[in-house]
Amino acid sequence: MKRLACLVLTAIFLILQALCLAPPANAATQQVMMQGYAYGPAALTVRVGDTVTWMQHDQAPHDVVTTSAPVAFRSPQLAAGQSWSHTFTKPGTYSYYCSVHPDMRATVTVLAAETPTKQPPPTPSKQTKARPTASSAPSSSSPPTSSAAPVSETPAPAAPVTQQAAATGPSLDPMLLVAGVVTAVAVLCLLLVGSRPGG
Protein backbone atom coordinates (compact mmCIF):
# COMPACT_ATOMS: atom_id res chain seq x y z
CA MET A 1 0.00 0.00 0.00
CA LYS A 2 2.88 2.33 0.80
CA ARG A 3 4.43 1.57 -2.58
CA LEU A 4 1.21 2.50 -4.34
CA ALA A 5 1.02 5.77 -2.42
CA CYS A 6 4.66 6.55 -3.27
CA LEU A 7 4.08 5.77 -6.94
CA VAL A 8 0.97 7.94 -7.06
CA LEU A 9 2.73 10.83 -5.32
CA THR A 10 5.74 10.52 -7.64
CA ALA A 11 3.51 10.52 -10.71
CA ILE A 12 1.64 13.58 -9.46
CA PHE A 13 4.92 15.35 -8.71
CA LEU A 14 6.16 14.67 -12.25
CA ILE A 15 2.90 15.88 -13.76
CA LEU A 16 3.07 19.09 -11.72
CA GLN A 17 6.65 19.65 -12.86
CA ALA A 18 5.64 19.16 -16.48
CA LEU A 19 2.78 21.62 -16.10
CA CYS A 20 4.93 24.26 -14.44
CA LEU A 21 7.83 23.93 -16.88
CA ALA A 22 5.71 23.68 -20.04
CA PRO A 23 5.96 26.57 -22.52
CA PRO A 24 2.99 28.94 -22.71
CA ALA A 25 0.10 27.37 -24.54
CA ASN A 26 -0.62 30.51 -26.51
CA ALA A 27 2.77 30.62 -28.31
CA ALA A 28 2.45 29.34 -31.86
CA THR A 29 4.74 28.37 -34.71
CA GLN A 30 3.96 29.56 -38.24
CA GLN A 31 5.70 28.49 -41.43
CA VAL A 32 6.74 30.48 -44.48
CA MET A 33 7.74 28.52 -47.58
CA MET A 34 10.52 29.71 -49.88
CA GLN A 35 9.41 28.19 -53.13
CA GLY A 36 9.26 29.36 -56.75
CA TYR A 37 11.44 32.37 -55.87
CA ALA A 38 8.73 33.71 -53.56
CA TYR A 39 7.80 33.68 -49.87
CA GLY A 40 4.48 32.05 -49.13
CA PRO A 41 2.51 33.52 -47.56
CA ALA A 42 3.76 36.96 -48.55
CA ALA A 43 1.93 38.54 -45.61
CA LEU A 44 1.69 36.81 -42.24
CA THR A 45 0.22 37.98 -38.93
CA VAL A 46 1.47 36.52 -35.64
CA ARG A 47 1.56 37.51 -31.96
CA VAL A 48 4.49 38.44 -29.72
CA GLY A 49 6.11 35.20 -28.58
CA ASP A 50 5.21 33.31 -31.75
CA THR A 51 7.92 31.68 -33.85
CA VAL A 52 8.08 31.79 -37.63
CA THR A 53 10.03 29.09 -39.47
CA TRP A 54 11.15 29.74 -43.03
CA MET A 55 11.46 26.49 -45.04
CA GLN A 56 13.60 26.57 -48.21
CA HIS A 57 12.34 24.45 -51.13
CA ASP A 58 14.14 26.03 -54.12
CA GLN A 59 17.41 24.82 -55.63
CA ALA A 60 18.86 28.36 -55.47
CA PRO A 61 19.92 29.63 -52.02
CA HIS A 62 17.67 32.09 -50.15
CA ASP A 63 17.84 34.05 -46.93
CA VAL A 64 15.64 36.33 -44.83
CA VAL A 65 16.84 39.91 -44.27
CA THR A 66 14.73 42.64 -42.68
CA THR A 67 14.48 45.96 -44.51
CA SER A 68 12.20 47.70 -42.04
CA ALA A 69 11.49 46.24 -38.61
CA PRO A 70 11.32 47.06 -34.90
CA VAL A 71 14.13 44.53 -34.42
CA ALA A 72 16.37 43.68 -37.37
CA PHE A 73 17.36 40.10 -38.10
CA ARG A 74 19.16 38.20 -40.83
CA SER A 75 19.16 34.48 -41.49
CA PRO A 76 22.07 32.56 -42.95
CA GLN A 77 21.77 31.53 -46.61
CA LEU A 78 19.63 28.43 -46.75
CA ALA A 79 20.09 25.59 -49.22
CA ALA A 80 17.23 23.40 -50.42
CA GLY A 81 15.70 21.47 -47.53
CA GLN A 82 17.05 23.76 -44.80
CA SER A 83 14.99 25.94 -42.48
CA TRP A 84 15.52 28.86 -40.11
CA SER A 85 13.35 30.14 -37.26
CA HIS A 86 12.89 33.45 -35.50
CA THR A 87 10.81 34.19 -32.38
CA PHE A 88 9.23 37.65 -32.43
CA THR A 89 9.51 39.61 -29.18
CA LYS A 90 8.35 43.09 -30.25
CA PRO A 91 5.11 44.06 -31.98
CA GLY A 92 5.24 45.85 -35.32
CA THR A 93 5.58 45.23 -39.05
CA TYR A 94 8.65 43.35 -40.20
CA SER A 95 9.36 43.81 -43.92
CA TYR A 96 11.95 41.45 -45.32
CA TYR A 97 13.49 40.23 -48.56
CA CYS A 98 15.99 37.73 -49.94
CA SER A 99 19.39 39.38 -50.40
CA VAL A 100 20.24 36.90 -53.17
CA HIS A 101 16.96 37.54 -55.04
CA PRO A 102 15.83 41.11 -54.11
CA ASP A 103 12.47 40.68 -55.83
CA MET A 104 11.48 38.16 -53.15
CA ARG A 105 9.71 40.33 -50.57
CA ALA A 106 7.22 39.69 -47.75
CA THR A 107 6.03 41.00 -44.37
CA VAL A 108 5.27 39.66 -40.94
CA THR A 109 2.92 41.72 -38.78
CA VAL A 110 3.44 41.04 -35.09
CA LEU A 111 0.54 41.91 -32.77
CA ALA A 112 0.85 42.43 -29.05
CA ALA A 113 0.43 39.31 -26.96
CA GLU A 114 -3.13 38.57 -25.92
CA THR A 115 -3.86 39.64 -22.40
CA PRO A 116 -6.97 38.25 -20.78
CA THR A 117 -9.28 41.13 -20.03
CA LYS A 118 -11.75 40.86 -17.23
CA GLN A 119 -15.26 41.50 -18.43
CA PRO A 120 -17.60 43.31 -16.06
CA PRO A 121 -20.12 40.89 -14.59
CA PRO A 122 -23.54 41.08 -16.19
CA THR A 123 -25.91 43.16 -14.14
CA PRO A 124 -28.84 41.01 -13.08
CA SER A 125 -30.88 44.12 -12.22
CA LYS A 126 -31.63 44.79 -15.90
CA GLN A 127 -32.96 41.29 -16.44
CA THR A 128 -34.85 41.40 -13.15
CA LYS A 129 -36.58 44.64 -14.15
CA ALA A 130 -37.58 43.21 -17.54
CA ARG A 131 -39.05 40.03 -16.06
CA PRO A 132 -41.48 41.66 -13.61
CA THR A 133 -42.78 43.82 -16.47
CA ALA A 134 -43.36 40.68 -18.52
CA SER A 135 -45.00 38.88 -15.59
CA SER A 136 -47.26 41.83 -14.79
CA ALA A 137 -48.23 42.17 -18.46
CA PRO A 138 -50.54 39.12 -18.56
CA SER A 139 -52.69 40.60 -15.76
CA SER A 140 -53.72 43.58 -17.91
CA SER A 141 -55.13 43.15 -21.39
CA SER A 142 -53.71 46.21 -23.21
CA PRO A 143 -49.96 46.14 -22.27
CA PRO A 144 -49.02 42.72 -23.73
CA THR A 145 -47.88 44.29 -27.03
CA SER A 146 -45.79 46.93 -25.24
CA SER A 147 -44.23 44.37 -22.87
CA ALA A 148 -43.26 42.13 -25.80
CA ALA A 149 -40.73 44.72 -27.02
CA PRO A 150 -38.71 44.88 -23.75
CA VAL A 151 -38.70 41.08 -23.52
CA SER A 152 -37.28 40.81 -27.06
CA GLU A 153 -34.67 43.51 -26.27
CA THR A 154 -33.45 41.74 -23.12
CA PRO A 155 -31.99 38.65 -24.89
CA ALA A 156 -30.05 40.84 -27.36
CA PRO A 157 -27.63 42.23 -24.73
CA ALA A 158 -27.32 38.75 -23.19
CA ALA A 159 -25.87 37.29 -26.41
CA PRO A 160 -22.70 39.46 -26.43
CA VAL A 161 -22.11 38.65 -22.75
CA THR A 162 -22.26 34.94 -23.61
CA GLN A 163 -19.84 35.48 -26.52
CA GLN A 164 -17.47 37.45 -24.30
CA ALA A 165 -17.53 34.71 -21.69
CA ALA A 166 -16.82 32.12 -24.36
CA ALA A 167 -13.91 34.19 -25.66
CA THR A 168 -12.29 34.45 -22.24
CA GLY A 169 -13.31 30.97 -21.09
CA PRO A 170 -10.40 28.92 -22.49
CA SER A 171 -7.74 30.98 -20.71
CA LEU A 172 -7.12 29.39 -17.33
CA ASP A 173 -4.96 30.76 -14.59
CA PRO A 174 -2.07 28.30 -14.22
CA MET A 175 -2.11 28.70 -10.44
CA LEU A 176 -5.76 27.70 -10.40
CA LEU A 177 -4.86 24.55 -12.29
CA VAL A 178 -2.02 23.77 -9.87
CA ALA A 179 -4.33 24.37 -6.89
CA GLY A 180 -6.87 21.93 -8.35
CA VAL A 181 -4.23 19.26 -8.88
CA VAL A 182 -2.85 19.74 -5.35
CA THR A 183 -6.36 19.43 -3.94
CA ALA A 184 -6.92 16.24 -5.91
CA VAL A 185 -3.63 14.83 -4.58
CA ALA A 186 -4.61 15.67 -1.01
CA VAL A 187 -8.00 13.98 -1.41
CA LEU A 188 -6.36 10.92 -2.98
CA CYS A 189 -3.88 10.68 -0.10
CA LEU A 190 -6.67 10.92 2.45
CA LEU A 191 -8.57 8.18 0.65
CA LEU A 192 -5.50 5.95 0.58
CA VAL A 193 -4.76 6.51 4.25
CA GLY A 194 -8.41 6.00 5.20
CA SER A 195 -8.68 2.75 3.23
CA ARG A 196 -5.82 1.06 5.09
CA PRO A 197 -6.97 -1.90 7.16
CA GLY A 198 -6.69 -1.30 10.87
CA GLY A 199 -6.27 2.46 10.39
Side-chain angles (χ1 to χ4, degrees), residues 13-178:
F13 175 74
L14 292 175
I15 290 171
L16 284 175
Q17 263 190 331
L19 288 174
C20 293
L21 299 177
N26 57 354
T29 300
Q30 302 288 334
Q31 291 185 349
V32 174
M33 301 298 165
M34 298 178 196
Q35 193 167 16
Y37 294 89
Y39 294 107
L44 181 65
T45 302
V46 298
R47 294 215 173 261
V48 168
D50 288 356
T51 300
V52 175
T53 300
W54 284 266
M55 313 236 351
Q56 215 289 55
H57 295 287
D58 282 337
Q59 292 303 315
H62 296 303
D63 62 0
V64 180
V65 181
T66 54
T67 57
S68 169
V71 176
F73 58 82
R74 181 184 189 114
S75 76
Q77 281 195 1
L78 303 173
Q82 291 183 320
S83 65
W84 179 76
S85 297
H86 178 76
T87 301
F88 291 90
T89 57
K90 284 194 175 182
T93 301
Y94 293 74
S95 298
Y96 63 93
Y97 80 114
C98 173
S99 65
V100 181
H101 307 97
D103 290 340
M104 288 178 61
R105 295 184 173 275
T107 60
V108 174
T109 303
V110 180
L111 305 175
E114 285 185 340
T115 55
T117 56
K118 293 186 178 180
Q119 299 294 330
T123 54
S125 61
K126 290 180 183 177
Q127 292 175 350
T128 308
K129 289 179 183 177
R131 287 183 181 154
T133 306
S135 64
S136 64
S139 63
S140 63
S141 59
S142 59
T145 55
S146 63
S147 68
V151 171
S152 64
E153 289 175 16
T154 303
V161 171
T162 305
Q163 291 172 351
Q164 290 170 355
T168 58
S171 61
L172 287 176
D173 184 14
M175 292 307 293
L176 183 63
L177 183 63
V178 170

